Amino acid sequence: MDFPVTRIKGGVGAPRGFQCSAISCGIKNPAAERLDLALIYSESPCTSAGTFTINRVKAAPVKLSQAHLRKGDLRAIIANSGNANACTGVQGVNDAKAMCKGVAAPLGLNRSEVGVCSTGVIGLPMPMVRIEPRFDELVQGLGANRGTDVAKAIITSDTHHKEIAISFDLGGHRVRIGGCVKGAGMISPSMATMLCFITTDANVPTETLRKGVLEAVDESFNRITIDGDMSTNDTVLVLANGRSGMPPIRRGSALCKQFREALRHVMLELAQAVVRDGERVTKFVTVEVKGARTYLDAKLVAEAVCKSALVKSSWNGGDPNWGRVLHAVGYSRARIREELVDIFYDGKPACLGGLQATTPMDELREIAAKPEFKIEIHLNQGDADYCMYSSDLSPEYIDFNRSEYAYWKQARKDGLV
């Protein structure tokens, strides 16, 4: 960034005027004690923005949060892990509404001022019998220093919680942005597959915030992939309450540009953290496409390479198989010329003009064996470029995702199936 930022503690609870809470309801397993129900609340009215999965099969919380944003701005977010509340029909929508209403009433809000998010197994009804009695406790637990608890409560197959908070000067005022994200599997561009919550005490009008969020998401969460799968529950929600004391940010102003850059920085940090914590991954690979004829061509090439099971398998094996990269470039549907394509691993040429370069294979293997490396693909046909962040695909990933039988076994005990 072109201006200094300071990393601070607190995640989504770091910006002024935000309070957080999280409790354990045993949503996935009644015997478990891990946090699985979270709440974010602003003491002041907010502007808000969100982006959601483009999957045509949308979870009930996605549909309801979209409807609430169409009505106006949010002031609170309730989220759970352990159950996605997806493919659950009318009952799923009613359960999502009950979650919003359950915290709206004690907070003195309208139900439509609450966003709702869920993550976990698809197809099972929510165990509301364990959730509904706990709403008052969740609200009473609100505090200014509990942002990290929110980050912990929303994880599923993640190995750790992921959060960030920064502060920076904006027009003579000290502004804070905090965020948390969950995601490790079912990660693919198109709003990407995760839950992400971001709070800020900047004073950002609704339309300015919503445009900024769309741009930041496109340059962060839409640039990652782990396994090529798109979820039913993808959601990014951003709340801005203006408690920094600054005047409203005018669209198109220098302050607006600076805020958007800071927002993008936060989202990109969280997006990259998702890839690094991918289910059983061992590699973090940056794929940068340069010299495409159009932005779309560059994007098509990057997505084809990053989603290729063959390419990702070679990364897992530390194999610098540039032929697999080139074949993915070829089927990407981008306009390319094979004889113009150059491929580099951490700056060392593996392919020049569509043919093998002279770099010793041992040098390329040494690069591909590292936990992080970059692949550059030069199409040499124009000025457009596109960058994505991906991972390898491991045998352990397949083993990890072979069965979700335990979820269904518990659901039968609960009388839900």
Side-chain angles (χ1 to χ4, degrees):
M1 291 191 295
D2 297 331
F3 54 92
V5 301
T6 302
R7 291 288 288 261
I8 59 177
K9 295 181 180 180
V12 290
R16 301 169 186 87
F18 284 96
Q19 296 188 35
C20 301
S21 178
I23 60 176
S24 173
C25 292
I27 294 174
K28 174 183 174 182
N29 178 3
E33 297 182 355
R34 65 172 297 273
L35 300 173
D36 58 7
L37 185 66
L39 177 65
I40 302 170
Y41 167 68
S42 173
E43 299 167 353
S44 308
C46 291
T47 57
S48 59
T51 60
F52 303 88
T53 181
I54 64 170
N55 194 324
R56 293 186 179 181
V57 178
K58 291 179 172 59
V62 169
K63 296 174 183 177
L64 192 60
S65 292
Q66 286 179 311
H68 287 182
L69 277 174
R70 285 193 293 268
K71 289 183 179 180
D73 285 306
L74 307 179
R75 191 167 159 183
I77 302 168
I78 183 171
N80 74 274
S81 60
N83 188 305
N85 195 9
C87 305
T88 47
V90 174
Q91 184 59 50
V93 175
N94 290 336
D95 290 342
K97 289 179 178 179
M99 291 179 67
C100 292
K101 184 179 179 180
V103 293
L107 290 173
L109 304 179
N110 295 321
R111 189 187 73 192
S112 61
E113 293 181 279
V114 181
V116 57
C117 297
S118 298
T119 182
V121 70
I122 294 171
L124 292 179
M126 290 283 285
M128 297 301 292
V129 66
R130 293 197 290 276
I131 298 174
E132 287 186 302
R134 310 292 297 280
F135 289 140
D136 286 343
E137 179 185 349
L138 183 65
V139 172
Q140 291 167 7
L142 285 167
N145 301 312
R146 300 199 63 193
T148 298
D149 286 344
V150 172
K152 292 178 178 179
I154 62 174
I155 65 174
T156 51
S157 60
D158 312 55
T159 63
H160 60 270
H161 70 281
K162 296 177 272 290
E163 65 178 353
I164 182 177
I166 63 172
S167 68
F168 57 100
D169 288 323
L170 190 62
H173 296 264
R174 199 66 181 174
V175 168
R176 299 176 181 180
I177 302 177
C180 64
V181 69
K182 67 80 51 183
M186 296 182 74
I187 301 293
S188 179
S190 292
M191 225 309 292
T193 308
M194 76 289 132
L195 300 183
C196 175
F197 309 133
I198 292 177
T199 58
T200 180
D201 49 25
N203 191 344
V204 194
T206 299
E207 291 308 312
T208 301
L209 181 65
R210 292 184 177 182
K211 183 175 181 181
V213 167
L214 286 174
E215 292 178 352
V217 166
D218 186 59
E219 296 178 0
S220 58
F221 294 117
N222 279 355
R223 304 291 185 101
I224 63 174
T225 185
I226 291 175
D227 47 21
D229 271 290
M230 186 197 309
S231 175
T232 55
N233 291 62
D234 303 350
T235 302
V236 172
L237 291 176
V238 182
L239 305 181
N241 65 9
R243 289 288 291 272
S244 62
M246 67 179 300
I249 296 175
R250 292 185 295 106
R251 184 187 299 183
S253 66
L255 294 183
C256 183
K257 180 180 179 182
Q258 185 179 347
F259 173 76
R260 288 182 179 178
E261 189 174 349
L263 181 63
R264 174 187 172 276
H265 170 77
V266 167
M267 288 193 183
L268 186 57
E269 286 269 334
L270 292 173
Q272 292 179 349
V274 168
V275 177
R276 288 188 169 94
D277 191 35
E279 289 174 350
R280 306 305 187 261
V281 308
T282 67
K283 303 292 174 66
F284 177 89
V285 184
T286 300
V287 175
E288 190 169 351
V289 179
K290 298 181 177 180
R293 295 174 66 176
T294 66
Y295 172 87
L296 179 58
D297 283 336
K299 180 180 179 180
L300 287 171
V301 168
E303 289 187 348
V305 172
C306 287
K307 292 181 180 181
S308 167
L310 278 174
V311 171
K312 293 162 77 66
S313 296
S314 66
W315 292 343
N316 180 256
D319 179 12
N321 195 326
W322 62 267
R324 290 183 178 179
V325 174
L326 185 56
H327 107 279
V329 172
Y331 68 62
S332 67
R333 294 182 298 164
R335 293 170 294 176
I336 65 107
R337 290 177 58 188
E338 176 186 346
E339 66 274 16
L340 297 179
V341 178
D342 302 328
I343 300 172
F344 299 84
Y345 281 69
D346 274 355
K348 293 190 176 184
C351 165
L352 294 175
L355 302 173
Q356 183 172 340
T358 58
T359 304
M361 187 57 66
D362 286 345
E363 292 185 20
L364 296 177
R365 285 198 185 98
E366 187 175 337
I367 294 170
K370 295 191 301 183
E372 297 191 15
F373 57 90
K374 176 191 281 190
I375 293 178
E376 293 181 15
I377 302 167
H378 295 245
L379 301 181
N380 295 307
Q381 288 190 283
D383 299 321
D385 55 33
Y386 196 86
C387 185
M388 284 187 65
Y389 309 94
S390 188
S391 69
D392 61 327
L393 189 63
S394 68
E396 292 78 13
Y397 171 88
I398 297 172
D399 184 63
F400 182 78
N401 284 283
R402 288 175 64 185
S403 175
E404 289 181 330
Y405 172 72
Y407 288 96
W408 295 86
K409 186 175 180 180
Q410 180 57 51
R412 281 195 291 273
K413 288 182 180 180
D414 292 335
L416 297 174
V417 294

